Amino acid sequence: MDVVILAAGMGTRMKSTLPKVLHRIFDKPIIDYVIECAQSLKPASILVVVNPSLTEVIQYLNSKAIKIVFQNEPKGTANALYSALPYIKNEKILILNGDTPLIKKDTLLNFLKIFDEKAQDLAILSFYPVREHSYGRILRNSKGDVEKIVEITDYTGSESGEANSGVYLVKKEVLELVKEIKINPRKGEFYLTDIVEIAISKGYKVDAYALAQEDELIGINNREELALAMKYLRDRVVKEWMNEGVTFYDPGSVWISPSVKIGQDTIIYPDVFLEGDTTIGRNCVIYQGTRIRDSIIEDNVLIKDCTVIESSHVKAGSKIGPFAHLRPESVIGKECRIGNFVEVKKSVIGDRTKAAHLSYLGDSEIGENVNIGAGTITCNYDGKRKHKTIIEDNVFIGSDTQLVAPVKVGKGAYIGAGSTITKNVPEDSLAISRTPQRNIEGWANKKREKK
Protein backbone atom coordinates (compact mmCIF):
# COMPACT_ATOMS: atom_id res chain seq x y z
CA MET A 1 0.00 0.00 0.00
CA ASP A 2 1.04 3.57 -0.68
CA VAL A 3 -0.17 6.47 1.48
CA VAL A 4 -0.74 9.91 -0.03
CA ILE A 5 -1.09 12.86 2.38
CA LEU A 6 -2.59 16.00 0.85
CA ALA A 7 -0.91 19.01 2.45
CA ALA A 8 -0.78 21.58 -0.34
CA GLY A 9 -3.45 23.93 1.05
CA MET A 10 -2.30 27.49 1.70
CA GLY A 11 -4.23 27.73 4.98
CA THR A 12 -5.29 31.35 4.50
CA ARG A 13 -8.05 31.04 7.10
CA MET A 14 -5.46 30.52 9.82
CA LYS A 15 -4.51 34.22 9.39
CA SER A 16 -0.86 33.37 10.02
CA THR A 17 2.58 33.68 8.46
CA LEU A 18 3.19 30.08 9.59
CA PRO A 19 1.90 27.40 7.18
CA LYS A 20 -1.19 25.65 8.50
CA VAL A 21 0.28 22.15 8.85
CA LEU A 22 3.15 23.51 10.96
CA HIS A 23 0.86 24.92 13.64
CA ARG A 24 1.27 22.86 16.79
CA ILE A 25 -1.06 20.74 18.82
CA PHE A 26 0.75 20.35 22.13
CA ASP A 27 4.36 19.52 21.23
CA LYS A 28 4.13 18.64 17.52
CA PRO A 29 3.08 20.23 14.24
CA ILE A 30 -0.25 19.08 12.81
CA ILE A 31 1.45 17.25 9.94
CA ASP A 32 3.51 15.10 12.35
CA TYR A 33 0.41 13.45 13.77
CA VAL A 34 -0.74 12.44 10.28
CA ILE A 35 2.68 11.17 9.17
CA GLU A 36 3.20 9.17 12.38
CA CYS A 37 -0.23 7.56 12.06
CA ALA A 38 0.55 6.65 8.43
CA GLN A 39 3.96 5.23 9.44
CA SER A 40 2.32 3.04 12.08
CA LEU A 41 0.57 1.16 9.24
CA LYS A 42 3.98 0.30 7.71
CA PRO A 43 3.08 1.19 4.11
CA ALA A 44 5.45 0.74 1.17
CA SER A 45 5.76 4.50 0.81
CA ILE A 46 4.35 7.80 2.09
CA LEU A 47 3.93 10.69 -0.35
CA VAL A 48 3.19 14.18 0.96
CA VAL A 49 1.82 16.64 -1.60
CA VAL A 50 2.80 20.25 -0.91
CA ASN A 51 2.77 23.57 -2.71
CA PRO A 52 6.33 24.55 -3.76
CA SER A 53 5.82 28.03 -2.31
CA LEU A 54 5.52 26.55 1.21
CA THR A 55 9.27 26.55 1.79
CA GLU A 56 8.96 26.16 5.58
CA VAL A 57 6.90 23.00 5.13
CA ILE A 58 9.38 21.61 2.61
CA GLN A 59 12.34 22.30 4.89
CA TYR A 60 10.56 20.68 7.80
CA LEU A 61 9.57 17.57 5.80
CA ASN A 62 13.08 17.07 4.42
CA SER A 63 14.04 15.32 7.65
CA LYS A 64 11.11 12.89 7.48
CA ALA A 65 11.05 9.40 5.95
CA ILE A 66 8.60 10.47 3.25
CA LYS A 67 8.68 11.60 -0.38
CA ILE A 68 7.70 15.20 -1.13
CA VAL A 69 5.55 15.74 -4.20
CA PHE A 70 4.82 19.22 -5.57
CA GLN A 71 1.44 20.52 -6.66
CA ASN A 72 2.64 23.41 -8.76
CA GLU A 73 -0.72 25.20 -8.94
CA PRO A 74 -3.35 25.30 -6.17
CA LYS A 75 -6.15 23.78 -8.23
CA GLY A 76 -7.89 21.58 -5.70
CA THR A 77 -7.62 18.13 -4.14
CA ALA A 78 -7.98 16.15 -7.38
CA ASN A 79 -5.16 18.13 -8.95
CA ALA A 80 -3.01 17.51 -5.86
CA LEU A 81 -3.58 13.78 -6.16
CA TYR A 82 -2.90 13.93 -9.90
CA SER A 83 0.53 15.37 -9.04
CA ALA A 84 1.28 12.23 -7.01
CA LEU A 85 0.18 9.71 -9.68
CA PRO A 86 3.64 9.22 -11.28
CA TYR A 87 5.10 8.19 -7.91
CA ILE A 88 2.43 5.68 -6.87
CA LYS A 89 3.70 2.12 -7.37
CA ASN A 90 1.28 -0.09 -5.44
CA GLU A 91 -2.23 -1.26 -6.22
CA LYS A 92 -3.86 0.06 -3.04
CA ILE A 93 -3.70 3.71 -1.98
CA LEU A 94 -4.76 5.32 1.29
CA ILE A 95 -5.48 9.03 0.96
CA LEU A 96 -5.18 11.19 4.09
CA ASN A 97 -5.30 14.92 4.73
CA GLY A 98 -2.40 16.80 6.28
CA ASP A 99 -4.77 18.89 8.41
CA THR A 100 -6.63 15.95 10.04
CA PRO A 101 -4.29 15.09 12.92
CA LEU A 102 -6.52 13.05 15.23
CA ILE A 103 -7.15 10.07 12.96
CA LYS A 104 -6.39 6.82 14.85
CA LYS A 105 -4.38 3.84 13.71
CA ASP A 106 -7.12 1.43 14.83
CA THR A 107 -9.71 3.26 12.74
CA LEU A 108 -7.55 2.99 9.63
CA LEU A 109 -6.83 -0.69 10.30
CA ASN A 110 -10.59 -1.35 10.48
CA PHE A 111 -11.07 0.66 7.30
CA LEU A 112 -8.40 -1.40 5.51
CA LYS A 113 -9.89 -4.65 6.76
CA ILE A 114 -13.37 -3.82 5.45
CA PHE A 115 -11.94 -2.60 2.14
CA ASP A 116 -10.17 -5.93 1.62
CA GLU A 117 -12.97 -8.17 2.92
CA LYS A 118 -15.61 -6.53 0.72
CA ALA A 119 -13.24 -6.28 -2.27
CA GLN A 120 -14.04 -2.60 -2.74
CA ASP A 121 -12.58 -0.49 -5.51
CA LEU A 122 -13.13 2.80 -3.71
CA ALA A 123 -14.10 3.33 -0.08
CA ILE A 124 -14.86 6.53 1.82
CA LEU A 125 -14.34 6.96 5.57
CA SER A 126 -17.47 8.79 6.73
CA PHE A 127 -19.02 10.02 9.97
CA TYR A 128 -22.19 11.64 11.30
CA PRO A 129 -21.44 15.21 12.41
CA VAL A 130 -22.93 16.98 15.37
CA ARG A 131 -21.59 20.49 14.87
CA GLU A 132 -21.69 22.66 11.76
CA HIS A 133 -18.76 22.50 9.35
CA SER A 134 -17.93 22.45 5.66
CA TYR A 135 -17.53 18.73 4.99
CA GLY A 136 -19.33 17.40 1.93
CA ARG A 137 -22.22 14.96 2.36
CA ILE A 138 -22.61 11.45 1.00
CA LEU A 139 -25.82 10.83 -0.94
CA ARG A 140 -27.26 7.30 -1.04
CA ASN A 141 -30.14 5.94 -3.13
CA SER A 142 -33.22 4.14 -1.82
CA LYS A 143 -31.23 0.90 -1.59
CA GLY A 144 -28.58 2.56 0.55
CA ASP A 145 -25.93 2.56 -2.16
CA VAL A 146 -23.57 5.52 -2.44
CA GLU A 147 -24.39 7.73 -5.43
CA LYS A 148 -22.10 10.73 -5.03
CA ILE A 149 -20.62 13.32 -2.68
CA VAL A 150 -22.06 16.83 -2.73
CA GLU A 151 -20.61 20.04 -1.32
CA ILE A 152 -22.27 21.24 1.87
CA THR A 153 -23.47 24.35 0.00
CA ASP A 154 -25.46 22.08 -2.34
CA TYR A 155 -26.77 19.76 0.34
CA THR A 156 -30.48 20.03 1.16
CA GLY A 157 -30.85 17.14 3.63
CA SER A 158 -30.81 17.22 7.42
CA GLU A 159 -27.72 18.36 9.30
CA SER A 160 -27.25 14.84 10.67
CA GLY A 161 -26.47 13.45 7.22
CA GLU A 162 -23.46 11.24 6.56
CA ALA A 163 -20.37 13.35 5.99
CA ASN A 164 -17.25 12.72 3.95
CA SER A 165 -14.07 12.83 6.06
CA GLY A 166 -11.76 13.18 3.06
CA VAL A 167 -10.06 9.86 3.88
CA TYR A 168 -10.23 7.32 1.04
CA LEU A 169 -9.01 3.86 0.11
CA VAL A 170 -8.78 3.31 -3.61
CA LYS A 171 -7.32 0.88 -6.12
CA LYS A 172 -4.78 2.30 -8.50
CA GLU A 173 -6.89 1.76 -11.62
CA VAL A 174 -9.71 3.77 -10.04
CA LEU A 175 -7.29 6.48 -8.95
CA GLU A 176 -6.41 7.02 -12.58
CA LEU A 177 -9.95 8.44 -12.97
CA VAL A 178 -8.72 11.73 -11.47
CA LYS A 179 -7.68 12.50 -15.05
CA GLU A 180 -11.38 12.61 -16.00
CA ILE A 181 -12.48 15.05 -13.29
CA LYS A 182 -13.73 18.34 -14.71
CA ILE A 183 -12.93 21.72 -13.24
CA ASN A 184 -15.57 23.18 -10.94
CA PRO A 185 -16.74 26.32 -12.75
CA ARG A 186 -17.58 28.19 -9.54
CA LYS A 187 -14.33 27.50 -7.70
CA GLY A 188 -11.92 26.98 -10.57
CA GLU A 189 -10.63 23.81 -8.90
CA PHE A 190 -10.71 20.06 -9.46
CA TYR A 191 -12.54 18.28 -6.63
CA LEU A 192 -11.46 14.77 -5.65
CA THR A 193 -15.01 14.07 -4.43
CA ASP A 194 -16.12 13.91 -8.10
CA ILE A 195 -14.19 10.66 -8.53
CA VAL A 196 -16.96 8.85 -6.61
CA GLU A 197 -19.66 9.52 -9.20
CA ILE A 198 -17.26 8.79 -12.08
CA ALA A 199 -16.20 5.45 -10.54
CA ILE A 200 -19.81 4.40 -9.93
CA SER A 201 -20.75 5.25 -13.52
CA LYS A 202 -18.01 2.90 -14.72
CA GLY A 203 -19.23 0.01 -12.59
CA TYR A 204 -16.65 0.09 -9.81
CA LYS A 205 -17.62 -1.00 -6.29
CA VAL A 206 -17.92 2.10 -4.09
CA ASP A 207 -19.12 2.44 -0.50
CA ALA A 208 -18.72 4.58 2.60
CA TYR A 209 -18.14 3.38 6.16
CA ALA A 210 -18.86 5.39 9.28
CA LEU A 211 -16.11 3.97 11.51
CA ALA A 212 -15.14 6.98 13.61
CA GLN A 213 -16.55 9.81 15.69
CA GLU A 214 -16.48 13.42 14.57
CA ASP A 215 -13.73 14.42 17.00
CA GLU A 216 -11.32 11.95 15.38
CA LEU A 217 -11.88 13.33 11.88
CA ILE A 218 -11.80 17.05 12.56
CA GLY A 219 -10.01 19.00 9.85
CA ILE A 220 -8.19 22.17 10.88
CA ASN A 221 -8.81 25.27 8.76
CA ASN A 222 -8.83 28.07 11.34
CA ARG A 223 -7.81 28.89 14.90
CA GLU A 224 -11.13 27.79 16.33
CA GLU A 225 -10.73 24.31 14.84
CA LEU A 226 -7.11 24.19 16.03
CA ALA A 227 -8.27 24.85 19.59
CA LEU A 228 -11.06 22.29 19.19
CA ALA A 229 -8.63 19.64 17.96
CA MET A 230 -6.38 20.31 20.94
CA LYS A 231 -9.34 19.93 23.28
CA TYR A 232 -10.42 16.67 21.63
CA LEU A 233 -6.89 15.28 21.93
CA ARG A 234 -6.64 16.43 25.56
CA ASP A 235 -9.92 14.68 26.39
CA ARG A 236 -8.69 11.49 24.71
CA VAL A 237 -5.37 11.51 26.60
CA VAL A 238 -6.94 12.30 29.98
CA LYS A 239 -9.54 9.54 29.55
CA GLU A 240 -6.80 7.03 28.74
CA TRP A 241 -4.89 7.93 31.92
CA MET A 242 -8.00 7.82 34.08
CA ASN A 243 -8.57 4.28 32.77
CA GLU A 244 -4.99 3.51 33.91
CA GLY A 245 -5.64 4.65 37.49
CA VAL A 246 -4.77 8.37 37.50
CA THR A 247 -7.06 10.82 39.32
CA PHE A 248 -7.88 14.22 37.79
CA TYR A 249 -9.85 16.61 40.01
CA ASP A 250 -11.00 18.61 36.98
CA PRO A 251 -10.27 16.71 33.72
CA GLY A 252 -11.42 19.64 31.60
CA SER A 253 -8.83 22.07 32.95
CA VAL A 254 -5.59 20.09 32.55
CA TRP A 255 -3.44 19.82 29.42
CA ILE A 256 -1.50 16.58 29.02
CA SER A 257 0.65 15.96 25.93
CA PRO A 258 0.21 12.53 24.30
CA SER A 259 3.92 11.87 24.90
CA VAL A 260 3.57 12.14 28.72
CA LYS A 261 3.53 9.02 30.93
CA ILE A 262 1.83 8.98 34.35
CA GLY A 263 2.02 6.33 37.09
CA GLN A 264 -0.91 4.73 38.91
CA ASP A 265 -2.57 6.50 41.86
CA THR A 266 -1.11 9.89 40.99
CA ILE A 267 -3.46 12.81 41.70
CA ILE A 268 -3.51 15.84 39.44
CA TYR A 269 -5.23 19.09 40.46
CA PRO A 270 -6.78 21.63 38.03
CA ASP A 271 -4.79 23.88 35.68
CA VAL A 272 -1.78 21.55 35.40
CA PHE A 273 0.29 21.39 32.19
CA LEU A 274 2.38 18.26 31.53
CA GLU A 275 4.34 18.63 28.31
CA GLY A 276 6.95 16.98 26.11
CA ASP A 277 8.94 13.94 27.15
CA THR A 278 7.73 13.92 30.76
CA THR A 279 7.32 10.90 33.03
CA ILE A 280 5.39 11.12 36.30
CA GLY A 281 5.77 8.25 38.77
CA ARG A 282 3.27 6.49 41.03
CA ASN A 283 1.51 8.08 44.01
CA CYS A 284 2.52 11.63 43.12
CA VAL A 285 0.41 14.69 43.87
CA ILE A 286 0.63 17.66 41.52
CA TYR A 287 -1.15 20.77 42.74
CA GLN A 288 -2.80 23.41 40.61
CA GLY A 289 -0.98 25.89 38.41
CA THR A 290 2.03 23.62 37.86
CA ARG A 291 3.83 23.21 34.52
CA ILE A 292 6.27 20.33 33.91
CA ARG A 293 8.14 19.83 30.63
CA ASP A 294 10.66 17.17 29.48
CA SER A 295 11.25 15.98 33.04
CA ILE A 296 11.29 12.83 35.16
CA ILE A 297 9.31 12.86 38.40
CA GLU A 298 9.81 9.67 40.39
CA ASP A 299 7.34 7.97 42.77
CA ASN A 300 5.76 9.66 45.80
CA VAL A 301 6.74 13.20 44.85
CA LEU A 302 4.63 16.13 46.05
CA ILE A 303 4.65 19.17 43.75
CA LYS A 304 2.87 22.15 45.29
CA ASP A 305 1.05 25.02 43.63
CA CYS A 306 2.44 27.15 40.79
CA THR A 307 5.70 25.27 40.31
CA VAL A 308 7.63 25.17 37.01
CA ILE A 309 9.91 22.22 36.21
CA GLU A 310 11.91 22.13 32.96
CA SER A 311 14.19 19.33 31.72
CA SER A 312 14.94 18.17 35.25
CA HIS A 313 14.86 15.01 37.36
CA VAL A 314 13.13 14.85 40.75
CA LYS A 315 13.81 11.65 42.68
CA ALA A 316 11.41 9.71 44.88
CA GLY A 317 9.80 11.22 47.95
CA SER A 318 10.81 14.83 47.36
CA LYS A 319 8.63 17.88 47.89
CA ILE A 320 8.81 20.79 45.45
CA GLY A 321 7.15 24.20 45.74
CA PRO A 322 4.95 26.13 46.02
CA PHE A 323 6.26 28.72 43.54
CA ALA A 324 9.49 26.81 42.89
CA HIS A 325 11.36 26.83 39.59
CA LEU A 326 13.60 23.95 38.49
CA ARG A 327 15.47 25.09 35.40
CA PRO A 328 17.05 22.69 32.88
CA GLU A 329 19.66 20.13 33.94
CA SER A 330 18.68 20.10 37.59
CA VAL A 331 18.65 16.84 39.56
CA ILE A 332 16.89 16.76 42.92
CA GLY A 333 17.75 13.78 45.15
CA LYS A 334 15.46 11.57 47.21
CA GLU A 335 13.36 13.08 50.02
CA CYS A 336 14.53 16.62 49.33
CA ARG A 337 12.62 19.80 50.05
CA ILE A 338 12.77 22.59 47.47
CA GLY A 339 10.34 25.14 48.83
CA ASN A 340 8.73 28.53 48.38
CA PHE A 341 10.33 30.75 45.74
CA VAL A 342 13.44 28.59 45.36
CA GLU A 343 15.10 28.55 41.93
CA VAL A 344 17.47 25.73 40.97
CA LYS A 345 19.51 25.92 37.77
CA LYS A 346 21.83 23.24 36.35
CA SER A 347 22.51 21.82 39.81
CA VAL A 348 22.64 18.42 41.47
CA ILE A 349 21.07 18.27 44.92
CA GLY A 350 21.85 15.30 47.18
CA ASP A 351 19.33 13.18 49.11
CA ARG A 352 17.45 14.73 52.06
CA THR A 353 18.78 18.22 51.38
CA LYS A 354 16.47 21.13 52.14
CA ALA A 355 16.18 24.58 50.61
CA ALA A 356 12.91 25.69 52.10
CA HIS A 357 12.50 29.23 50.84
CA LEU A 358 13.76 32.25 48.93
CA SER A 359 17.02 30.87 47.51
CA TYR A 360 18.88 30.66 44.19
CA LEU A 361 21.09 27.62 43.56
CA GLY A 362 22.85 27.77 40.20
CA ASP A 363 25.68 25.66 38.74
CA SER A 364 26.03 23.80 42.02
CA GLU A 365 26.86 20.38 43.38
CA ILE A 366 25.21 20.01 46.77
CA GLY A 367 25.61 16.88 48.90
CA GLU A 368 23.28 14.95 51.18
CA ASN A 369 21.60 16.26 54.35
CA VAL A 370 22.46 19.87 53.62
CA ASN A 371 20.39 22.72 55.07
CA ILE A 372 20.16 25.76 52.80
CA GLY A 373 18.94 28.74 54.83
CA ALA A 374 16.43 31.28 53.55
CA GLY A 375 17.85 33.85 51.17
CA THR A 376 20.95 31.85 50.21
CA ILE A 377 22.40 32.73 46.80
CA THR A 378 25.11 31.08 44.76
CA CYS A 379 26.84 33.92 42.94
CA ASN A 380 27.77 31.89 39.86
CA TYR A 381 28.26 34.55 37.17
CA ASP A 382 31.20 36.95 36.98
CA GLY A 383 29.88 38.83 33.95
CA LYS A 384 31.66 36.58 31.46
CA ARG A 385 31.59 32.99 32.71
CA LYS A 386 29.60 30.71 35.03
CA HIS A 387 31.39 29.13 37.99
CA LYS A 388 30.58 26.17 40.20
CA THR A 389 29.71 26.01 43.88
CA ILE A 390 30.38 22.72 45.69
CA ILE A 391 28.74 22.02 49.03
CA GLU A 392 29.57 18.65 50.55
CA ASP A 393 27.44 16.45 52.84
CA ASN A 394 25.95 17.56 56.18
CA VAL A 395 26.68 21.26 55.71
CA PHE A 396 24.52 23.92 57.41
CA ILE A 397 24.18 27.16 55.46
CA GLY A 398 22.75 30.02 57.52
CA SER A 399 20.17 32.41 56.16
CA ASP A 400 21.10 35.25 53.81
CA THR A 401 24.40 33.70 52.74
CA GLN A 402 26.14 34.54 49.47
CA LEU A 403 28.48 31.89 48.09
CA VAL A 404 30.75 33.57 45.53
CA ALA A 405 31.80 30.87 43.04
CA PRO A 406 34.09 29.15 42.42
CA VAL A 407 33.97 28.03 46.04
CA LYS A 408 33.80 24.78 48.02
CA VAL A 409 32.29 24.13 51.44
CA GLY A 410 33.67 20.97 53.09
CA LYS A 411 31.74 18.24 54.88
CA GLY A 412 30.01 19.11 58.12
CA ALA A 413 30.89 22.81 57.95
CA TYR A 414 28.66 25.62 59.22
CA ILE A 415 28.17 29.01 57.56
CA GLY A 416 26.97 31.79 59.82
CA ALA A 417 23.88 33.71 58.76
CA GLY A 418 24.50 36.84 56.71
CA SER A 419 27.93 35.71 55.48
CA THR A 420 29.55 36.34 52.12
CA ILE A 421 31.81 33.35 51.40
CA THR A 422 34.58 33.99 48.87
CA LYS A 423 37.09 31.31 49.96
CA ASN A 424 36.88 27.55 50.43
CA VAL A 425 35.62 26.40 53.82
CA PRO A 426 37.39 23.37 55.37
CA GLU A 427 35.48 20.39 56.78
CA ASP A 428 33.79 20.83 60.16
CA SER A 429 34.62 24.56 60.24
CA LEU A 430 32.50 27.57 61.07
CA ALA A 431 32.78 30.28 58.44
CA ILE A 432 31.43 33.69 59.28
CA SER A 433 31.82 36.98 57.46
CA ARG A 434 30.16 40.01 59.03
CA THR A 435 31.03 43.63 59.65
CA PRO A 436 30.99 44.54 63.38
CA GLN A 437 27.62 45.74 64.67
CA ARG A 438 27.51 49.28 66.09
CA ASN A 439 24.65 50.57 68.23
CA ILE A 440 24.49 54.38 68.37
CA GLU A 441 22.27 55.21 71.33
CA GLY A 442 19.82 58.08 70.99
CA TRP A 443 20.35 58.37 67.21
CA ALA A 444 16.67 57.80 66.38
CA ASN A 445 15.45 60.52 68.76
CA LYS A 446 17.88 63.05 67.30
CA LYS A 447 16.69 62.22 63.77
CA ARG A 448 13.05 62.73 64.75
CA GLU A 449 13.85 66.06 66.47
CA LYS A 450 15.69 67.24 63.35
CA LYS A 451 12.62 66.52 61.19
Side-chain angles (χ1 to χ4, degrees), residues 139 150-158:
L139 297 189
V150 297
E151 295 299 310
I152 189 65
T153 51
D154 301 323
Y155 181 65
T156 57
S158 68

Side-chain angles (χ1 to χ4, degrees), residues 175-191:
L175 193 58
E176 295 284 343
L177 297 177
V178 295
K179 300 173 183 177
E180 300 183 22
I181 293 175
K182 306 295 183 184
I183 196 166
N184 184 294
R186 287 190 301 171
K187 298 287 188 176
E189 294 182 354
F190 297 89
Y191 287 153

Side-chain angles (χ1 to χ4, degrees), residues 10-51:
M10 302 304 289
T12 54
R13 283 180 282 173
M14 294 296 289
K15 304 293 185 185
S16 176
T17 57
L18 183 70
K20 176 172 68 172
V21 296
L22 295 186
H23 281 263
R24 290 179 175 265
I25 297 178
F26 290 108
D27 307 301
K28 294 186 296 190
I30 293 168
I31 190 68
D32 273 14
Y33 289 92
V34 186
I35 291 174
E36 288 172 11
C37 185
Q39 289 171 333
S40 72
L41 303 173
K42 295 180 169 55
S45 67
I46 298 174
L47 311 174
V48 181
V49 183
V50 300
N51 188 296

Side-chain angles (χ1 to χ4, degrees), residues 141-152:
N141 61 24
S142 58
K143 297 179 182 179
D145 299 327
V146 171
E147 289 186 327
K148 62 179 179 178
I149 298 173
V150 297
E151 295 299 310
I152 189 65

Side-chain angles (χ1 to χ4, degrees), residues 172-310:
K172 188 176 181 182
E173 62 181 289
V174 178
L175 193 58
E176 295 284 343
L177 297 177
V178 295
K179 300 173 183 177
E180 300 183 22
I181 293 175
K182 306 295 183 184
I183 196 166
N184 184 294
R186 287 190 301 171
K187 298 287 188 176
E189 294 182 354
F190 297 89
Y191 287 153
L192 181 56
T193 50
D194 292 345
I195 199 173
V196 172
E197 197 170 2
I198 296 171
I200 292 170
S201 71
K202 293 183 180 293
Y204 288 107
K205 289 182 65 177
V206 178
D207 207 348
Y209 303 98
L211 302 176
Q213 299 298 315
E214 179 180 4
D215 59 358
E216 185 181 342
L217 299 172
I218 182 173
I220 297 173
N221 295 295
N222 54 46
R223 305 290 182 138
E224 181 181 358
E225 289 172 337
L226 179 67
L228 197 57
M230 188 174 291
K231 176 184 177 296
Y232 286 155
L233 185 56
R234 183 274 309 277
D235 291 345
R236 181 191 298 178
V237 170
V238 169
K239 183 177 180 180
E240 288 172 357
W241 285 119
M242 287 194 289
N243 290 337
E244 293 295 323
V246 177
T247 295
F248 293 89
Y249 282 173
D250 183 4
S253 71
V254 299
W255 296 94
I256 315 293
S257 297
S259 52
V260 170
K261 297 177 178 62
I262 310 174
Q264 200 173 60
D265 292 320
T266 283
I267 297 172
I268 298 178
Y269 278 67
D271 300 318
V272 167
F273 288 72
L274 304 179
E275 304 169 341
D277 187 19
T278 290
T279 299
I280 309 294
R282 293 170 174 262
N283 298 301
C284 295
V285 179
I286 304 176
Y287 280 88
Q288 67 188 42
T290 292
R291 183 172 70 86
I292 304 173
R293 183 175 186 83
D294 297 328
S295 296
I296 297 172
I297 311 298
E298 294 187 4
D299 298 344
N300 302 299
V301 170
L302 173 64
I303 300 175
K304 295 186 177 180
D305 309 65
C306 303
T307 291
V308 176
I309 302 176
E310 304 169 289

